[in-house]
Amino acid sequence: MKRKNFITIGTFDGVHTGHCHLFARLETLAAGALLKPLALYFPLPPKTLLSAHPEMSVLTLPQEKKQLLKNIGLPAKPLDFENCRETPAQDFFQQTLLEKYQMGGLLVGPDFAFGKNRQGGVEFLRAECAKYKIPFSVADFYRAGEEKISSSLIRKVLAQGNITLANTLLGRPYELSGTVVKGHKLGRKLGFPTANLDTGIYKILPLGVFAVKVRVGRKIYDGFCNIGFRPTVNTLHTVLPLVEVNIFDFRQSIYGRKITIWFADKLREETKFNGLEALVRQLKQDREEARQKLQGFLV
């Protein structure tokens, strides 16, 4: 069978700057070999699928990842992790890479491994590709200073609330989408109506108060977002943090609609205030600071 794809394989959680560096090399290698570039990816990270507690463990949900890869212009196909984890490395190489995806070249990262018990590591792949006279390449880690850019690093940075660094490592603003659900309407009573978002269980939620851009339909607005447990007026008692977005100069009812927010910067940590008056004073300050930080911030 004619092999026509120069392939890379991975989870690509976040589709960050390190991944984009890998994809650029893939396209160069493919062009040099007169082959087509192709990324094979797992929609959710294997660690998430295997974890007993997968909550807040991913940077990009499957649909987001699919769209980001499409935006890059890189041909990409999803892999079924459950099938891959039980397939011996030799079978995966032969049946999936060579036969199904017509592999004519392979590019992987230095810590890549696949197949049952992760038997298909770099040395296995090097030997198999040599056997079939297939070009094989191992990409170096892409670094920012002394630290390699990785999905795990960005997850850590987000957990620390460092939005500016996370956005730099991602190469774009971190985004979060969700369906607007009904809350207790306390924000409206305080003069700060909020859209409460159901974002599912997988997406990483940085804690605190943030300046954000908000897309509703085709329009983009300024706003600020609180992600946490509302220590001053927590009437919902939830295990996962609440995501509440105040959209500036916005009066529409959007229950049941999906909206997307992009994080520009962190304003402060979530704080317990001594009464509602103190909370409202702080929310007014948050709104003004968010307006300033969002000037010139593009998505």
Side-chain angles (χ1 to χ4, degrees):
M1 184 180 290
K2 182 181 178 182
R3 306 181 194 106
K4 62 178 182 179
N5 291 316
F6 208 118
I7 290 174
T8 191
I9 314 170
T11 298
F12 309 128
D13 189 27
V15 193
H16 53 64
T17 53
H19 295 140
C20 292
H21 181 73
L22 175 77
F23 298 151
R25 184 172 177 191
L26 177 69
E27 291 180 337
T28 299
L29 290 171
L34 301 179
L35 301 171
K36 297 178 181 178
L38 175 64
L40 301 179
Y41 70 95
F42 296 110
L44 286 172
K47 286 183 179 179
T48 295
L49 295 172
L50 294 172
S51 174
H53 298 284
E55 300 87 358
M56 296 197 299
S57 60
V58 306
L59 299 167
T60 43
L61 296 174
Q63 191 59 37
E64 293 171 335
K65 187 181 298 181
K66 180 180 179 180
Q67 186 61 49
L68 287 167
L69 292 169
K70 183 179 179 181
N71 291 348
I72 292 171
L74 179 68
K77 299 286 185 182
L79 291 171
D80 181 346
F81 171 68
E82 286 302 322
N83 180 53
C84 293
R85 69 182 290 212
E86 296 301 326
T87 303
Q90 185 67 54
D91 291 349
F92 184 85
F93 186 90
Q94 181 70 41
Q95 298 167 12
T96 300
L97 296 181
L98 286 180
E99 295 175 10
K100 183 175 181 178
Y101 291 108
Q102 302 177 54
M103 181 175 68
L106 182 62
L107 170 68
V108 298
D111 57 355
F112 177 77
F114 69 91
K116 191 172 184 179
N117 299 323
R118 291 176 59 83
Q119 296 168 339
V122 167
E123 293 312 311
F124 167 84
L125 290 170
R126 192 188 309 277
E128 288 300 305
C129 286
K131 188 187 303 182
Y132 289 91
K133 295 182 171 52
I134 290 172
F136 175 70
S137 186
V138 179
D140 293 330
F141 289 120
Y142 190 57
R143 297 183 178 275
E146 294 299 311
E147 199 151 19
K148 72 172 185 178
I149 297 177
S150 66
S151 302
S152 56
L153 171 63
I154 299 172
R155 294 185 198 109
K156 177 182 175 183
V157 167
L158 278 174
Q160 295 169 344
N162 191 339
I163 295 299
T164 302
L165 179 54
N167 288 352
T168 298
L169 297 174
L170 284 167
R172 65 180 187 283
Y174 185 61
E175 71 178 76
L176 184 64
S177 296
T179 302
V180 179
V181 297
K182 291 191 176 183
H184 284 210
K185 301 183 180 180
L186 291 172
R188 183 178 300 177
K189 295 175 183 177
L190 299 176
F192 288 85
T194 59
N196 299 274
L197 296 190
D198 178 1
T199 60
I201 67 168
Y202 292 126
K203 189 83 171 182
I204 292 173
L205 303 176
L207 300 179
V209 181
F210 306 90
V212 297
K213 288 283 188 179
V214 189
R215 183 177 64 204
V216 182
R218 295 185 178 181
K219 289 190 176 182
I220 295 179
Y221 303 84
D222 289 350
F224 70 93
C225 173
N226 184 91
I227 302 180
F229 299 94
R230 298 200 315 194
T232 307
V233 287
N234 186 3
T235 59
L236 298 183
H237 305 293
T238 179
V239 175
L240 289 173
L242 301 172
V243 181
E244 303 172 286
V245 186
N246 177 250
I247 308 172
F248 302 159
D249 309 313
F250 187 83
R251 297 291 180 270
Q252 300 174 36
S253 175
I254 51 174
Y255 291 127
R257 293 182 64 180
K258 185 176 180 179
I259 69 174
T260 298
I261 64 176
W262 291 271
F263 293 78
D265 204 354
K266 187 170 185 175
L267 303 177
R268 60 178 174 85
E269 300 290 344
E270 189 179 40
T271 307
K272 185 172 183 177
F273 294 95
N274 186 20
L276 296 181
E277 288 187 9
L279 173 60
V280 170
R281 283 197 298 271
Q282 181 61 58
L283 292 176
K284 289 179 179 178
Q285 292 180 28
D286 294 338
R287 181 169 57 193
E288 292 312 305
E289 186 179 354
R291 287 190 190 276
Q292 293 175 18
K293 287 185 177 294
L294 289 165
Q295 291 180 12
F297 178 74
L298 302 175
V299 295

